[in-house]
Amino acid sequence: MAVNIDTCRNGNCPWPSRTRRRSAARRWSGSRWTRPPPSTWPEFDASHLPEHRFVALDREDGVVGWTAVTPVSDRCAYAGVVEHSVYVHPDARGRGVGLALLTALLASTDAVGVWTVQSGVFPENTASLALHHRAGFRTVGTRERLGRHHGTWRDVVLLERRSPVVG
């Protein structure tokens, strides 16, 4: 699958302007391990740091994946630590989209001095765990009953990637 990785900065993100967004949201919501994409640009913009947001676009400029980060804390000691999310549309899985997105994300975080990128993944999501390990993340441990998914308490595998150029 040929994809283009594009930035989402200063309101130029192609996500909310695509007519296929509603259709994509319906398809994504049926996936077991993903959530629907943010429904509006203001929702996405307010919750993610602008310099570290990327989308994967297919040949028709449809969004087939995205990644973005949020700060883990507003305390200055954690200024270089972010938590990321990466989502790949079910139809695009296994085609390198996730790795391309994480590669772009990690280059952007390294460039501005972020020293740790972390994420939490359900243990059953072995594809995501493998993707993160391929991208240079390591498993820190499992936090028991940390997340709720469809009303059920879930264990979450904590992953982190320490920057090779910062710190």
Side-chain angles (χ1 to χ4, degrees):
M1 166 178 275
V3 296
N4 180 41
I5 305 300
D6 198 2
T7 59
C8 293
R9 296 188 200 161
N10 302 321
N12 73 339
C13 183
W15 192 303
S17 63
R18 302 289 181 219
T19 57
R20 292 171 40 176
R21 182 174 47 80
R22 282 193 306 216
S23 173
R26 284 193 302 270
R27 288 186 309 215
W28 286 53
S29 64
S31 174
R32 182 172 175 190
W33 300 113
T34 62
R35 62 182 177 202
S39 59
T40 66
W41 172 253
E43 178 186 335
F44 186 88
D45 190 42
S47 61
H48 297 86
L49 296 176
E51 55 275 347
H52 310 295
R53 303 187 292 214
F54 297 91
V55 291
L57 304 170
D58 64 14
R59 289 188 178 132
E60 293 84 37
D61 285 341
V63 174
V64 294
W66 66 274
T67 188
V69 302
T70 57
V72 299
S73 175
D74 60 359
R75 295 171 58 196
C76 62
Y78 302 105
V81 183
V82 296
E83 183 167 3
H84 87 285
S85 298
V86 60
Y87 294 97
V88 176
H89 188 283
D91 295 344
R93 290 186 183 151
R95 298 184 175 127
V97 174
L99 188 58
L101 285 164
L102 285 180
T103 299
L105 176 71
L106 296 172
S108 78
T109 55
D110 284 347
V112 298
V114 171
W115 60 81
T116 301
V117 178
Q118 66 184 37
S119 189
V121 176
F122 292 143
E124 295 83 1
N125 194 347
T126 56
S128 183
L129 293 171
L131 165 65
H132 283 85
H133 290 144
R134 277 193 309 276
F137 286 75
R138 71 181 184 95
T139 298
V140 176
T142 301
R143 299 188 67 189
E144 295 177 359
R145 297 174 43 90
L146 180 67
R148 284 195 72 158
H149 186 249
H150 300 299
T152 301
W153 288 104
R154 301 296 312 277
D155 293 350
V156 176
V157 177
L158 182 60
L159 301 159
E160 73 174 16
R161 187 260 193 183
R162 298 288 176 102
S163 173
V165 298
V166 180

